[in-house]
Amino acid sequence: MRIVIAGGHGQIALRLERLLSAGGHEVAGIIRKPEQGAALREAGAEPVVLDLESASVEMVAAVLQGADAAVFAAGAGPGSDAARKDTVDRGAAVLFADAAQRAGVRRYVVVSSMGADATHPGDEVFDAYLRAKGAADDEVRARTSLDWTILRPGALTNDAGTGLVRLEARTGRGPVPRDDVAAVLAELLDTPATAGLTLELIAGSTPLSVAVKDVAGN
């Protein structure tokens, strides 16, 4: 498959790029800064420099042309303010979905967040982040022309992945290594029957390939 990843220089995205390229897939990662390109090439991905906060839907659709799947893994990141949570975590996710539709890319996987909710209360930046992610998820789920899957990981860690997870519609809170998030994303991309599911992910006791098959009903 050809897979295009928004937020290609993120910690989860770089792990996913390595996994997908090692699996024989053609991978492109959208990045904001040219100097990030070396890390993507090292991960086996083609870097595409494009700022999703200022790009038009036509520009993004051009990058997605001919792709088999799109993964939204971008985020404003730590230290960003509430305004950028809206423009990146919500706005860029919606733009990427618009572009996928325009380019005819049906498979659309979103890296969201546990607790994402468009109506989440609170005035802190993290509250704004959860509202932005929730609103983006709602926008994506409303699109019948996308075979979407939304993954909501728990607290992300840099611990080595174990390959053992809990993946369900509701898991309750808990940590999960970024390694395992990336591996689950790769499995989801290979499992079209997970389309239409919103899933929470934390560390657990089930081998991740089995966990993905279970939620897909296989």
Side-chain angles (χ1 to χ4, degrees):
M1 291 193 293
R2 174 171 170 79
I3 300 160
V4 178
I5 302 172
H9 191 255
Q11 294 188 66
I12 291 171
L14 285 169
R15 288 166 167 83
L16 178 59
E17 287 154 5
R18 289 189 194 95
L19 290 172
L20 294 175
S21 60
H25 297 294
E26 182 184 345
V27 188
I30 297 175
I31 54 177
R32 288 178 56 238
K33 301 174 183 176
E35 58 267 28
Q36 296 171 333
L40 271 72
R41 284 188 285 269
E42 186 180 331
E46 167 201 352
V48 178
V49 180
L50 187 66
D51 187 346
L52 294 176
E53 286 183 273
S54 59
S56 67
V57 66
E58 292 82 9
M59 293 165 68
V60 184
V63 176
L64 284 163
Q65 203 66 45
D68 300 291
V71 179
F72 186 81
S80 56
D81 61 16
R84 289 203 69 227
K85 302 302 185 192
D86 185 67
T87 57
V88 179
D89 293 284
R90 184 200 59 78
V94 174
L95 172 70
F96 202 53
D98 287 340
Q101 287 182 285
R102 186 163 299 201
V105 181
R106 289 199 62 93
R107 191 71 175 111
Y108 191 86
V109 176
V110 177
V111 183
S112 183
S113 173
M114 191 171 291
D117 181 351
T119 63
H120 180 83
D123 300 321
E124 300 297 323
V125 172
F126 190 69
D127 299 322
Y129 167 75
L130 292 177
R131 284 193 293 274
K133 294 299 279 187
D137 292 352
D138 290 346
E139 284 258 10
V140 169
R141 288 187 292 205
R143 295 165 192 255
T144 57
S145 60
L146 294 179
D147 295 329
W148 54 264
T149 304
I150 292 170
L151 184 66
R152 293 176 165 177
L156 299 169
T157 76
N158 286 325
D159 296 338
T162 65
L164 300 173
V165 299
R166 184 177 175 192
L167 179 70
E168 298 169 19
R170 292 283 185 272
T171 62
R173 295 191 176 276
V176 62
R178 288 180 172 87
D179 286 351
D180 289 332
V181 177
V184 167
L185 289 167
E187 288 281 342
L188 291 172
L189 286 164
D190 275 338
T191 313
T194 57
L197 299 179
T198 301
L199 301 165
E200 294 184 350
L201 174 69
I202 58 174
S205 57
T206 304
L208 60 88
S209 60
V210 174
V212 170
K213 287 185 175 67
D214 285 348
V215 295
N218 296 341

